[in-house]
Amino acid sequence: MRGFNDRFLKACRREPTDCTPVWFMRQAGRYQPEYRQLRKKHSLLEIAKTPELCAEVTLLPVRQLGVDAAILFSDIMLPLGPMGVRFQIQENVGPVIERPIREPKDVERLRPLELEEDLPSVLEAIRLLRQELEVPLIGFAGAPFTLASYLIEGGPSRAFLRTKALMYRHPGLWHRLLEKLTDSVAKFLKAQAQAGAQALQVFDSWVGCLSTLDYREYVQFHMRRLFAELKELEAPIIHFGVGTGELLELMKEAGGDVIGLDWRVEMDQAWASLGYDSAVQGNLDPAVLLGPWDVIERRALEVLEQAGGRPGHIFNLGHGVLPETPPDALKRLVELVHERSTQKEIHDERT
Ligand code: CP3
């Protein structure tokens, strides 16, 4: 037994660590031969809703890569089922909603989240994992905007025009929808923390499509309320979105102990403008891992150097691991981050 590795939790709290903690969004997934093998027998939702399978998949990257945190294997769509939404996860497409939201009665029909339906298995997986893991377990949920975008578009989207049209044309309905989603997301995150998740990540993956003006007017209020609801929890919360360079400060105002950065921003500028009273997570471009090792190494060291060895940096990619990623590159990257961020070396490099 090596004992419990808590450098990820320390970094969330901006406490000094022996070296920079690292984990990867989508670290359990299609880039792994073992995962693809399992997917031949079980669907994504089957794996997510079967505690033993969920735990097995969640543990794979922890054992293979040596990352400093585990993230529960699931999908942001999962809590929508118990709210009365019927959807499928289509291979190479993503979530597809049976009856997208088009009018007020579609919003009224959404039920408040019942934890007793579908989700007990998720909470059971968390309890199982806590017995196995020697690194912290991250629970997560989709943010209200990102979930609303799937409910309104009916599936993945590039421009989110239906979502924006509903927001501008029917602001009352929009706010009602976000309010309902906020209630359910808060309830689900609290339940995950109570079941044993030691940190939580809120994925507002698609909120980067909004202007700062629209974020302020249509989203920020709900995010503030979400984080206020979670204040009582001990678990630190990571607040992440993609393409959010312009929104980072508004996201920080809304809440979160750690702000997730995508690869479009530079670590040093983004952290400086957020202020060092926030921890940050990121932000290597996941596509860099498709390049040769010398490029991966150069870009990863740039991230570390820009973070400057300051407490409160969690190394991650700027978004999820791509299916084409060679597993060995990830393993080597974890080793690199650990080796090259030990407090002594960072110090030496700067002097
Ligand atoms: O490689 C894999 O991850 C395969 C398994 C898979 C997941 N979701 C796991 C998941 C698949 C095929 C999906 C369906 C899905 N759900 C898609 C299509 C994915 C694709 O690439 O084909 C999408 C876009 C969704 C919606 C979704 N799920 C979003 C927007 C997020 C937030 C993270 C993000 O990518 O922005 C999720 C979360 C998610 N899906 C997780 C997992 C294991 C948890 C987060 C994590 O592991 O980092």
Side-chain angles (χ1 to χ4, degrees):
M1 287 271 283
R2 276 170 298 142
F4 191 77
N5 164 2
D6 67 347
R7 61 170 81 96
F8 162 77
L9 290 173
K10 282 190 169 145
C12 289
R13 296 190 231 101
R14 290 180 294 115
E15 291 166 14
T17 49
D18 54 344
C19 62
T20 301
V22 47
W23 71 279
F24 305 115
M25 293 182 274
R26 294 282 177 95
Q27 64 189 12
R30 280 172 304 183
Y31 76 94
Q32 295 174 301
E34 298 84 354
Y35 174 81
R36 284 199 301 267
Q37 202 56 35
L38 207 69
R39 275 298 309 280
K40 288 183 183 158
K41 285 180 281 177
H42 308 280
S43 71
L44 167 73
L45 293 176
E46 255 168 45
I47 298 173
K49 290 182 194 175
T50 311
E52 292 74 19
L53 291 175
C54 174
E56 184 186 334
V57 173
T58 301
L59 285 166
L60 273 176
V62 179
R63 300 201 165 128
Q64 289 177 351
L65 307 177
V67 284
D68 298 300
I71 184 158
L72 185 74
F73 184 83
S74 188
D75 192 82
I76 59 163
M77 301 303 285
L78 224 71
L80 295 178
M83 294 181 72
V85 178
R86 290 221 288 247
F87 65 89
Q88 293 174 346
I89 303 283
Q90 279 181 21
E91 202 66 41
N92 303 322
V93 180
V96 177
I97 310 284
E98 215 164 276
R99 278 181 62 181
I101 285 176
R102 294 284 179 267
E103 48 185 348
K105 72 170 172 27
D106 299 327
V107 173
E108 283 326 306
R109 232 187 15 237
L110 281 179
R111 302 195 298 259
L113 182 70
E114 283 301 333
L115 293 172
E116 290 68 27
E117 200 184 312
D118 277 4
L119 303 179
S121 58
V122 174
L123 304 177
E124 183 53 29
I126 293 176
R127 287 186 280 266
L128 269 181
L129 278 160
R130 278 300 302 276
Q131 294 170 14
E132 297 281 324
L133 280 166
E134 293 187 353
V135 296
L137 177 63
I138 306 169
F140 72 91
F145 175 87
T146 292
L147 293 174
S149 78
Y150 281 110
L151 291 175
I152 297 165
E153 303 292 334
S157 168
R158 262 177 216 284
F160 300 95
L161 297 181
R162 281 180 188 274
T163 306
K164 291 185 183 182
L166 189 143
M167 194 170 88
Y168 300 134
R169 286 184 194 155
H170 309 287
L173 188 63
W174 170 261
H175 285 298
R176 179 84 189 106
L177 172 61
L178 260 72
E179 182 184 317
K180 284 190 151 194
L181 289 168
T182 301
D183 287 340
S184 294
V185 167
K187 189 172 179 184
F188 186 38
L189 287 170
K190 280 185 210 172
Q192 293 182 61
Q194 275 153 15
Q198 290 136 301
L200 300 168
Q201 179 155 329
V202 178
F203 282 98
D204 212 348
S205 300
W206 311 137
V207 79
C209 72
L210 295 181
S211 67
T212 49
L213 291 172
D214 285 340
Y215 186 84
R216 273 209 196 87
E217 185 165 343
Y218 297 102
V219 177
Q220 199 186 27
F221 166 85
H222 302 282
M223 294 304 282
R224 275 187 204 275
R225 190 167 74 83
L226 175 64
F227 286 104
E229 293 264 337
L230 303 173
K231 262 271 166 318
E232 64 194 65
L233 303 178
E234 222 179 282
I237 308 178
I238 306 161
H239 186 179
F240 168 79
V242 182
T244 50
E246 328 294 320
L247 298 180
L248 288 173
E249 283 149 69
L250 296 175
M251 289 169 67
K252 171 183 169 163
E253 269 174 36
D257 305 280
V258 184
I259 304 296
L261 306 174
D262 88 348
W263 67 92
R264 292 171 182 86
V265 296
E266 288 195 44
M267 175 56 73
D268 54 356
Q269 289 167 17
W271 205 355
S273 65
L274 277 168
Y276 301 118
D277 57 338
S278 286
V280 291
Q281 175 173 281
N283 68 339
L284 186 70
D285 185 342
V288 164
L289 285 152
L290 309 180
W293 176 252
D294 60 310
V295 178
I296 301 173
E297 179 176 60
R298 182 157 56 87
R299 285 284 181 262
L301 292 179
E302 277 162 0
V303 172
L304 287 178
E305 194 180 308
Q306 292 198 5
R310 234 175 255 108
H313 173 224
I314 298 151
F315 192 100
N316 204 313
L317 306 180
H319 200 187
V321 177
L322 298 166
E324 302 80 2
T325 306
D328 275 350
L330 283 171
K331 189 168 159 52
R332 220 171 147 187
L333 178 57
V334 171
E335 287 162 9
L336 179 80
V337 170
H338 284 161
E339 273 167 32
R340 299 298 292 271
S341 67
T342 56
Q343 278 311 308
K344 186 185 151 292
E345 284 192 31
I346 287 274
H347 188 74
D348 287 350
E349 273 170 20
R350 283 188 300 172
T351 50

